Amino acid sequence: MSEELSEPPSQPGRVPGWWRDAVIYQVYVRSFADSDGDGIGDLAGIRQRLPHLRELGVDAVWITPFYLSPMADGGYDVADYRDVDPMFGSLADVDALLADAHDLGLRVIVDIVPNHTSSAHPWFVSALADGPGSLARDRYLFRSGRGAAGELPPNDWQSVFGGSAWTRVAGPDGRPGEWHLHLFAPEQPDLNWTNQEVRDEFLDILKFWLDRGVDGFRVDVAHGMVKDPQFADTGRDPQSKLLGVEPLPYFDQDDVHEIYRDWRKVLDSYPGERIAVAEAWVPGPERLAAYVRPDELHQAFNFEYLKTDWDAASLREVIDGSLAATAAVEAPTTWVLSNHDVIRHVTRYGGGATGLRRARAALLLTLALPGSAYLYQGEELGLPEVADLPESVLQDPVWARSGHTERGRDGCRVPIPWSGPEPPYGFGPGGSWLPMPTSWRSLTVEAQRDDPDSMLSLYRAVLRARRAHDALGDGGMRWLPSPDDALVFAREPGFVCAVNLSGAPVDLPDYGDLLCASDPIWRDGGGNLPGGSVLPPDAAAWFAR
Ligand code: GLC
């Protein structure tokens, strides 16, 4: 194995502000590694594959929900927040995973889903049984319908997955009754966060996992828990899509921040800097920065960066805007290019050889920027979106809720290819819950591990260089002069990152020794500037003096 393994593991809990520049790897549990042959990834599978993450050189891992769930939305519909779905393992598996990860110097962040429960959660079951006006119903958002017989939804709010955000339920007498709000699938009823019991329950759930030793939480739909109490129509159609950032009465309401002030007190009451990262799709970097004020959450995914095209001027604007907004609240910026909800960035950047080249360059850009970064499983292998999954295998609720017009997010959730010449490529001893392309034999970890030109080797080299250089991670940066379609910036001490986003080579002056490059670059007089180098199209390089 590699030299990195001989470095002493960093000690979880002992590095102040570890999260300000951590590189955190997202594991989508269903698709990472399957230990028992049912074709679905699980906790024991993650545990077996931890050495891959250690070799890669990340600081922490975020694991998507593994709680008891009917899986109406891949586990983001939680029926018991304190137990593990048997499909994924047991609480003992969580403990073992935490212990192994910590031994390897990896921190572990788990998902928390506070905006909604599963409709199979005992609270919702009681809410249906107890009927209108009951204490049980007050934990959710039940309303009477409009129309003479209450046959119309209470307002025009739409589900992020398509269709109305309201579903009518039968009363305890079996007749059509009230409607309940679900910003996502009907099987994901929204909780009422003005109910104190709901607030107390989640503080207790946080403590349950903190006591078990988790290092933090990724907060699902962190912008959604508080709704405008008027419940007024938006007057708009269509409204928000999953990745939308338009102002809406059910997202990004100011009072949501009170919740995070309470959560922060709990996190701070534990040793070792336990953190929380917000998944918040909000209008603009200033609104996002509010979630990472000093007494709220630690990080918030920078989705504007993720959504920006491969274009120098647009990226520069987003980088400047993000850094200014987070600096104003003294938080780091949290860069991200892919996750389990978006089209993989190799494909977003153009696919094929172009997409791969840009994704390689984007890695150098992202990991040179000040702050922390999240990687999504499989991006280190250069996996593309699988756009041609047969319709019969699609599982994302978006597919059904959109009336089969939107395929949804399964294309970025295809299991990870580990080894071997054919599907399921070492994913597990059985099959895989989504089919894996036959073209992925050259993308397995095994196929890439010893190839110095592979995406995996690039990720490992760049992460190693990032760890070794004092200028990287938290801190400042300043732009250097460059052609319009390049981005060049310096960080102190003595570091320069140059990215060419154009279709033509770019001449660079002498910035010092080459630390790493996304593609071979021409050095020493190859270009027109003395002692300089030439950056090919869609390539990036790091230099140091
Ligand atoms: C978040 C998750 C997404 C899920 C949704 C509803 O956006 O990332 O996968 O479908 O919340 O919980």
Side-chain angles (χ1 to χ4, degrees):
M1 276 217 249
S2 65
E3 61 207 88
E4 293 99 292
L5 278 177
S6 60
E7 292 171 13
S10 61
Q11 295 287 306
R14 305 244 176 100
V15 185
W18 66 270
W19 46 275
R20 296 187 71 91
D21 58 10
V23 178
I24 302 177
Y25 182 100
Q26 178 189 354
V27 165
Y28 188 70
V29 57
R30 289 196 291 171
S31 304
F32 190 64
D34 172 25
S35 71
D36 59 11
D38 64 0
I40 300 168
D42 48 40
L43 295 172
I46 302 174
R47 208 174 144 208
Q48 286 163 5
R49 295 294 186 182
L50 285 176
H52 171 70
L53 304 184
R54 177 78 190 127
E55 275 179 62
L56 188 60
V58 296
D59 303 297
V61 44
W62 149 35
I63 304 175
T64 57
F66 46 74
Y67 314 111
L68 190 71
S69 167
M71 304 289 157
D73 182 23
Y76 282 96
D77 48 321
V78 179
D80 184 343
Y81 289 85
R82 297 180 184 80
D83 205 357
V84 174
D85 197 282
M87 178 187 282
F88 298 134
S90 63
L91 282 172
D93 289 318
V94 178
D95 294 341
L97 176 57
L98 285 169
D100 282 8
H102 288 161
D103 282 349
L104 288 172
L106 293 165
R107 290 183 173 81
V108 179
I109 289 173
V110 296
D111 230 299
I112 184 155
V113 188
N115 180 67
H116 43 264
T117 68
S118 160
S119 52
H121 190 286
W123 273 8
F124 194 73
V125 174
S126 311
L128 292 186
D130 290 5
S134 62
L135 288 176
R137 281 216 174 175
D138 191 58
R139 297 183 186 124
Y140 293 89
L141 294 165
F142 281 88
R143 294 288 183 276
S144 303
R146 292 195 283 200
E151 73 282 11
L152 298 172
N155 66 23
D156 71 352
W157 295 3
Q158 295 176 352
S159 153
V160 169
F161 292 159
S164 172
W166 297 92
T167 290
R168 195 169 194 188
V169 300
D173 57 2
R175 308 221 332 250
E178 291 186 318
W179 298 70
H180 76 86
L181 181 73
H182 52 86
L183 295 181
F184 295 88
E187 298 86 355
Q188 293 168 296
D190 278 48
L191 286 162
N192 172 16
W193 275 83
T194 65
N195 179 308
Q196 190 59 41
E197 211 188 331
V198 169
R199 292 190 179 226
D200 292 346
E201 171 70 353
F202 274 87
L203 293 176
D204 205 63
I205 294 166
L206 292 177
K207 290 179 198 156
F208 177 87
W209 291 104
L210 291 165
D211 287 339
R212 285 204 113 81
V214 305
D215 299 286
F217 299 92
R218 176 267 190 186
V219 186
D220 189 62
V221 197
H223 56 312
M225 285 112 94
V226 173
K227 278 76 180 175
D228 183 330
Q230 307 294 325
F231 278 74
D233 281 343
T234 67
R236 299 216 328 247
D237 179 21
Q239 292 164 25
S240 181
K241 289 289 170 210
L242 187 63
L243 318 182
V245 292
E246 304 77 17
L248 283 163
Y250 45 82
F251 281 148
D252 193 34
Q253 301 295 303
D254 288 338
D255 287 349
V256 81
H257 296 285
E258 272 173 28
I259 299 171
Y260 299 128
R261 293 195 186 99
D262 288 347
W263 286 25
R264 181 62 180 253
K265 287 182 201 131
V266 172
L267 293 168
D268 285 350
S269 71
Y270 282 79
E273 286 194 83
R274 316 289 177 100
I275 69 153
V277 53
E279 185 221 18
W281 297 90
V282 300
E286 288 79 19
R287 296 293 309 181
L288 189 64
Y291 290 76
V292 289
R293 286 178 285 196
D295 58 348
E296 296 195 34
L297 305 178
H298 300 72
Q299 304 176 322
F301 296 111
N302 184 345
F303 291 131
E304 284 214 26
Y305 180 68
L306 176 154
K307 288 177 73 165
T308 303
D309 289 339
W310 186 246
D311 170 74
S314 320
L315 280 167
R316 185 170 169 149
E317 195 184 321
V318 168
I319 291 166
D320 283 341
S322 313
L323 290 174
T326 47
V329 294
E330 292 180 16
T333 305
T334 301
W335 311 99
V336 59
L337 289 171
S338 276
N339 64 33
H340 65 294
D341 292 328
V342 300
I343 294 177
R344 281 189 177 276
H345 64 271
V346 163
T347 303
R348 286 204 319 270
Y349 287 155
T354 304
L356 266 177
R357 223 170 31 242
R358 292 177 175 170
R360 291 172 69 94
L363 176 71
L364 271 73
L365 170 62
T366 305
L367 292 188
L369 291 170
S372 159
Y374 279 75
L375 310 178
Y376 175 49
Q377 66 179 36
E379 69 169 79
E380 78 277 26
L381 305 176
L383 296 188
E385 184 80 1
V386 182
D388 59 354
L389 286 169
E391 292 181 355
S392 59
V393 304
L394 296 181
Q395 297 201 13
D396 185 349
V398 169
W399 172 238
R401 299 265 316 160
S402 68
H404 296 171
T405 55
E406 288 174 42
R407 295 174 65 84
R409 301 161 289 173
D410 291 317
C412 65
R413 299 174 175 181
V414 172
I416 295 301
W418 293 96
S419 59
E422 57 195 34
Y425 302 110
F427 169 65
S432 59
W433 68 279
L434 288 172
M436 300 169 72
T438 47
S439 56
W440 278 14
R441 63 185 300 167
S442 58
L443 296 181
T444 64
V445 172
E446 184 183 54
Q448 298 197 37
R449 177 176 281 137
D450 299 321
D451 172 2
D453 297 328
S454 71
M455 189 67 126
L456 180 56
S457 296
L458 180 73
Y459 268 72
R460 290 172 54 179
V462 171
L463 284 161
R464 192 184 313 127
R466 177 179 156 111
R467 277 199 306 284
H469 206 288
D470 287 344
L472 294 173
D474 203 14
M477 63 171 269
R478 94 193 122 82
W479 296 108
L480 297 180
S482 70
D484 282 349
D485 38 18
L487 295 172
V488 182
F489 57 95
R491 304 197 57 189
E492 298 307 332
F495 173 90
V496 170
C497 172
V499 191
N500 177 5
L501 295 99
S502 75
V506 162
D507 278 315
L508 299 176
D510 179 9
Y511 288 131
D513 298 333
L514 182 67
L515 285 184
C516 41
S518 65
D519 266 315
I521 75 166
W522 305 319
R523 297 279 292 161
D524 299 330
N528 297 317
L529 299 173
S533 44
V534 181
L535 208 48
D538 291 328
W542 286 3
F543 302 92
R545 289 201 194 279

